[in-house]
Amino acid sequence: MIPYGRQTIEDDDIQAVVDVLKSDYLTTGPKIAEFEQIVADYVGAKYAVAISNGTSALHAACFAAGIGPGDEVITTPLTFAASANCVLYCGGTPVFADVDARTYNIDPEDIKRKITDKTRAIIAVHLAGQPCDMDEIHSIAREHNLVVIEDGAHALGSVYKGKKIGSLSDMTTFSFHPVKPITTGEGGMIVTDNESLYKKLLLFRSHGITRDDSLMNRNDGPWFYQQLDLGYNYRITDIQCALGCSQMKKLDRFLKRRKEIVARYNEAFAGCNNIVTPYQLPETESGWHLYIVQIKKHDRKKVFETLRECGIGVNVHYIPVYMHPYYQEHGYENVHCRNAEEVYSHIISLPLYPGLSIEQQEYVIRTLKDICE
Ligand SMILES: *Cc1c(COP(=O)(O)O)cnc(C)c1O
């Protein structure tokens, strides 16, 4: 089976992990800060906090933003459940704004309609790596005094108007799950320019505990620490961060490969009016985490099943979050986002990852064209 996404692990990645295994620290050693610095420098952010995964990164961001019971946070339904679950973890209420039918990203016009006096934050998700309309989102946030969190799980290396994703908003989160732009196995990060948010994120990652004298209200001696808030054990290991450091050296090469594959797909499907290829927002560069097409005339389910039968590991990104039983049973049974549901009914994600060979891609193209023509 050709998967829809796959990690690229090379010999030097393996060596980096082995080196840590032979060192003094397996977790919370020097590799954490090194990885944080590399990612912060790459995206152009002041602070970075490496954390156990992309979901805990979102949870930490909602915590640092002060989201709690009674607060509403607006996000997109066309995303992985974690982008909304993080609000629920904090006792807040996710509110879904519909997507733009062309970009599949959250529609700023619908954000405006969903704002109430309880709205505290917006979580913008750069679906497939395609940046959201951040200027519009920031202008809405300024007007209503909202925190902006970007879920950049797909968008490490994506660029919006000349600036990397991670340098634009109050906080941006990343995921290093194996299918994401780079991997640490499991892993995540939050980047920010705000020192006070940074300090909250650090506390949250490790039980709410600090040894920082300036934060403690007394100090009994060199052994002393205090728990200031209710945090979690969301730490990431040095083993993972060593892999992350090594992977970061390859990110630009990975992104270039993804772009080449996408160009080949776009060209191959240009003449097929049954296959809608991704729209590209002007003044942005997608990191191309996913290649999502819409199947128009044929039945999507049949096309999907046939591709799977042919050994092509297609996927669907995503089922609108509020359609899941958990959300349906928790107050979202009457929520409908027309564009998100329409897009959902047609989409298929085709294989896209740096290691996809030309032969494999040509097989995917030929197979899909045969089904759709
Ligand atoms: C993968 C992903 C996450 C969660 O990341 P994990 O590292 O798997 O916890 C969150 N949001 C989006 C959009 C994702 O694709």
Side-chain angles (χ1 to χ4, degrees):
M1 185 80 84
I2 303 172
Y4 86 86
R6 194 189 192 303
Q7 70 277 13
T8 302
I9 299 292
E10 295 161 338
D11 286 348
D12 54 337
D13 296 308
I14 294 165
Q15 192 54 49
V17 171
V18 170
D19 290 346
V20 171
L21 289 172
K22 292 177 178 169
S23 79
D24 291 337
Y25 293 96
L26 296 187
T27 189
T28 320
K31 288 294 166 188
I32 311 284
E34 190 184 328
F35 185 38
E36 289 171 341
Q37 192 64 52
I38 290 171
V39 175
D41 289 347
Y42 181 86
V43 303
K46 233 180 185 158
Y47 306 102
V49 177
I51 199 160
S52 52
N53 55 62
T55 304
S56 53
L58 284 162
H59 186 186
C62 285
F63 167 85
I67 304 305
D71 295 339
E72 293 179 354
V73 177
I74 298 175
T75 192
T76 170
L78 223 50
T79 183
F80 185 57
S83 316
N85 289 346
C86 57
V87 179
L88 295 175
Y89 296 155
C90 294
T93 305
V95 173
F96 295 100
D98 205 352
V99 300
D100 179 304
R102 279 182 320 173
T103 64
Y104 316 154
N105 275 331
I106 196 164
D107 177 5
E109 287 308 310
D110 207 42
I111 294 179
K112 289 182 197 164
R113 283 181 221 116
K114 298 289 159 67
I115 286 178
T116 71
D117 54 8
K118 294 177 178 170
T119 310
R120 295 285 171 268
I122 299 168
I123 300 178
V125 183
H126 308 295
L127 185 72
Q130 164 108 272
C132 294
D133 187 348
M134 292 314 300
D135 280 352
E136 268 304 306
I137 291 170
H138 285 145
S139 124
I140 296 166
R142 263 194 308 276
E143 189 181 335
H144 298 273
N145 199 20
L146 310 176
V147 176
V148 178
I149 299 167
E150 294 174 50
D151 179 346
H154 301 180
L156 183 63
S158 295
V159 179
Y160 177 79
K161 297 191 177 173
K163 287 180 155 179
K164 288 241 168 63
I165 295 301
S167 65
L168 299 159
S169 296
D170 297 300
M171 287 175 277
T172 300
T173 66
F174 296 109
S175 163
F176 309 122
H177 176 279
V179 296
K180 304 293 162 77
I182 62 154
T183 189
T184 59
E186 295 279 0
M189 202 173 287
I190 312 103
V191 294
T192 181
D193 281 347
N194 181 312
E195 190 181 1
S196 129
L197 291 174
Y198 172 62
K199 287 187 169 164
K200 286 182 190 160
L201 294 167
L202 287 179
L203 277 180
F204 190 74
R205 172 174 68 179
S206 197
H207 309 280
I209 284 174
T210 187
R211 287 175 184 279
D212 181 344
D213 199 49
S214 69
L215 296 176
M216 298 195 289
N217 64 6
R218 59 175 237 220
N219 192 343
D220 294 354
W223 67 87
F224 205 61
Y225 61 84
Q226 279 189 326
Q227 184 189 335
L228 306 180
D229 219 317
L230 186 62
Y232 291 77
N233 178 356
Y234 276 170
R235 292 187 304 264
I236 188 169
T237 66
D238 258 40
I239 307 166
Q240 292 164 307
C241 288
L243 181 54
C245 292
S246 173
Q247 289 265 297
M248 278 303 287
K249 293 183 197 151
K250 303 152 191 235
L251 175 57
D252 284 337
R253 166 159 58 93
F254 291 168
L255 291 169
K256 187 164 164 275
R257 270 297 294 150
R258 287 178 179 275
K259 214 167 158 180
E260 287 165 6
I261 293 165
V262 166
R264 212 175 290 127
Y265 273 141
N266 282 343
E267 198 186 318
F269 301 134
C272 310
N273 45 25
N274 188 23
I275 302 169
V276 181
T277 56
Y279 173 81
Q280 231 190 315
L281 207 67
E283 296 185 87
T284 67
E285 272 175 57
S286 175
W288 293 115
H289 167 58
L290 297 170
Y291 189 80
I292 300 174
V293 293
Q294 285 195 62
I295 305 299
K296 283 300 196 185
K297 284 203 303 277
H298 291 72
D299 180 48
R300 187 266 307 264
K301 191 169 172 216
K302 280 217 187 83
V303 174
F304 188 98
E305 285 167 349
T306 311
L307 287 165
R308 280 277 178 99
E309 280 159 20
C310 294
I312 299 167
V314 283
N315 223 310
V316 169
H317 298 94
Y318 287 95
I319 304 152
V321 174
Y322 58 79
M323 287 169 69
H324 289 295
Y326 182 85
Y327 280 83
Q328 289 290 300
E329 289 156 15
H330 288 83
Y332 291 81
E333 66 276 17
N334 295 318
V335 171
H336 283 289
C337 294
R338 247 190 41 215
N339 291 343
E341 290 179 27
E342 170 66 15
V343 168
Y344 164 61
S345 71
H346 292 291
I347 48 177
I348 292 182
S349 301
L350 301 182
L352 173 58
Y353 52 92
L356 185 73
S357 72
I358 292 182
E359 294 72 31
Q360 286 172 319
Q361 189 183 6
E362 274 172 359
Y363 174 66
V364 174
I365 290 168
R366 216 177 328 117
T367 310
L368 182 59
K369 277 182 153 179
D370 282 351
I371 299 167
C372 287
E373 270 164 6

